[in-house]
Amino acid sequence: AKGYGCSELQLGVALKQLFDTGLVKREDLIIQTKIPACATAKELREFLDGSLKRLKLDYIDLFSFHGLNMLSHYDLLFNNGENGNNIDVIHEYVKAGKIKHVGFSTHGPEDTIRKFIETDEFEYVNLHYHYFGSYTTSGVGKSAGNLDNVKLLQEKDMGVFIISAYDKGGKLYEPSNQLRSLTLPEMEPIAFGTNWMWTHEHHMGSPIHTCVVGAARPSDLDQGAVSAYLCGQDPEGTLAKVNAVVERLEKAKEDALGKEWIQSCYEGVPKSRDSKYTVEHNQIIWCYNLIKAFGMLEFAKNRYGSLEGNRAQWDNKLSVEENIDKRGRGMWGFVPGLSIDPTQDYSDDLANVPPGNIEKVKEAEVFVHKYCKKEPPKQKDAKKEEELEIPFDWQSAYQMKTWTDFPDRPMP
């Protein structure tokens, strides 16, 4: 993708070397790249030509608009006036044979995703949808995530292309002791996350076609590849194992949270776009549930940390729109919303929450802030805060990630 540093340049060199050996032909591979929605048709053409040049390709099998997260992106594609609609440019490149299939990736709310799907302009979607949640869409919509969109994609005979299955799908490369104890002995958490998707049609009614493995080294492909192989060789046995793990996970969730909370915890809870305080309440409740049910503290810290990062740059003297412009609309679309301010009473934000849940929601958000907030820089002579005791079940069983995604940036 254009947004992933020099990835296209690196792949272009590698692909040319591979094709030059004669061992692999261009038609043997399905290659995708992604480009964000652009302000003008001219800009999109320049980006497309640049991607083809860097990849050293005559055509792209899968072109995906990168991050159609906001309604403003809809206008860039379909209502862009004299600047030209992005979708018309894509039609040109499809007609010229430079793009074979068109899709989009998204971190958007459930209804925004549905709006793009219903245009019938796309053949597939790069979607966040996993057993443990739907990332920024978690707690949103009738299915409290992207399940309804997965079903809609099936109705429209579109491809379901799951992204970030091992990272945004629960940081499965660094599972908690509790989560690992719940997926074993049948399989490790990564294998469960993969096989739950491969068997999705059997237990959730809709097929999933593709699952991304974010590999930084060859061995990162091992568990995903083995899971796919085993599922293909023994689909019935794999489904039985997945069902056994799901049964334990669901029981653990019910034991920790209770049926009533599980069924109603997101009811009336606003997403940041609907919050008077721009707080991403839905994701915070999601984090609470994951910690309590499965001990997924490290994953919750990552998610809450993004919201804290937004709050750190927030200026209360500016309007919401001014703050989003300051943060960058592109970045905001991928990581929307703020963490809580523990001194603020959010009762008016929770007006549509069932009365019996309001105090529980507040307690859940304080809990997440307590365990997931980043520690402030240590100041000389500052009074030392009492360190939180982290239960063994919440601690990491292992860590498979050996380096940062972006080595030039500090660890989050």
Side-chain angles (χ1 to χ4, degrees), residues 59-203:
Y59 68 91
I60 300 166
D61 300 280
L62 304 177
F63 168 77
S64 180
F65 277 105
H66 195 173
L68 297 186
N69 304 324
M70 306 169 77
L71 292 178
S72 57
H73 295 140
Y74 186 93
D75 290 334
L76 290 175
L77 265 67
F78 303 107
N79 301 312
N80 207 28
E82 60 184 16
N83 288 322
N85 293 335
N86 280 207
I87 198 66
D88 293 336
V89 175
I90 299 305
H91 290 164
E92 292 172 17
Y93 278 70
V94 169
K95 187 175 181 179
K98 295 182 178 181
I99 292 174
K100 300 299 184 183
H101 303 281
V102 182
F104 68 92
S105 73
T106 179
H107 293 223
E110 181 267 346
D111 54 352
T112 299
I113 297 171
R114 184 171 65 250
K115 184 177 178 72
F116 281 105
I117 294 172
E118 289 177 340
T119 64
D120 293 328
E121 288 284 358
F122 304 100
E123 296 167 86
Y124 70 97
V125 179
N126 298 138
L127 193 67
H128 285 289
Y129 173 73
H130 319 99
Y131 173 80
F132 296 104
S134 298
Y135 190 34
T136 53
T137 313
S138 297
V140 178
K142 292 180 180 179
S143 63
N146 272 323
L147 176 58
D148 286 342
N149 281 327
V150 170
K151 292 179 178 179
L152 179 60
L153 291 169
Q154 181 188 19
E155 290 173 18
K156 291 183 171 292
D157 195 27
M158 293 172 64
V160 182
F161 189 138
I162 300 302
I163 53 177
S164 199
Y166 304 152
D167 185 36
K168 307 303 187 296
K171 205 175 181 182
L172 302 183
Y173 52 80
E174 188 181 356
S176 68
N177 288 309
Q178 183 172 353
L179 176 58
R180 189 170 185 240
S181 73
L182 291 167
T183 64
L184 291 176
E186 284 79 7
M187 57 192 77
E188 291 285 350
I190 280 182
F192 167 71
T194 307
N195 283 314
W196 182 80
M197 288 184 283
W198 292 150
T199 58
H200 190 268
E201 184 172 12
H202 299 283
H203 49 78

Side-chain angles (χ1 to χ4, degrees), residues 273-335:
R273 64 176 182 179
D274 304 313
S275 163
K276 177 181 176 182
Y277 306 95
T278 325
V279 169
E280 187 79 344
H281 294 287
N282 61 301
Q283 281 200 69
I284 300 173
I285 297 304
W286 176 46
C287 288
Y288 171 82
N289 291 346
L290 291 178
I291 296 170
K292 284 288 192 177
F294 310 126
M296 294 169 68
L297 177 62
E298 292 304 315
F299 177 65
K301 282 183 176 180
N302 283 168
R303 304 281 58 82
Y304 194 69
S306 298
L307 307 181
E308 282 193 299
N310 286 341
R311 180 168 288 283
Q313 297 188 39
W314 199 260
D315 185 345
N316 290 326
K317 295 178 182 177
L318 301 178
S319 69
V320 171
E321 294 302 313
E322 288 171 334
N323 269 296
I324 293 175
D325 285 335
K326 174 188 169 189
R327 183 75 174 97
R329 287 190 173 270
M331 179 59 69
W332 184 264
F334 284 103
V335 189

Side-chain angles (χ1 to χ4, degrees), residues 6-19 51-57:
C6 58
S7 62
E8 288 182 333
L9 189 64
Q10 292 173 313
L11 282 172
V13 172
L15 289 170
K16 184 178 186 306
Q17 291 175 351
L18 185 63
F19 297 147
S51 287
L52 287 165
K53 183 178 180 180
R54 288 186 292 275
L55 289 166
K56 301 183 187 300
L57 298 175

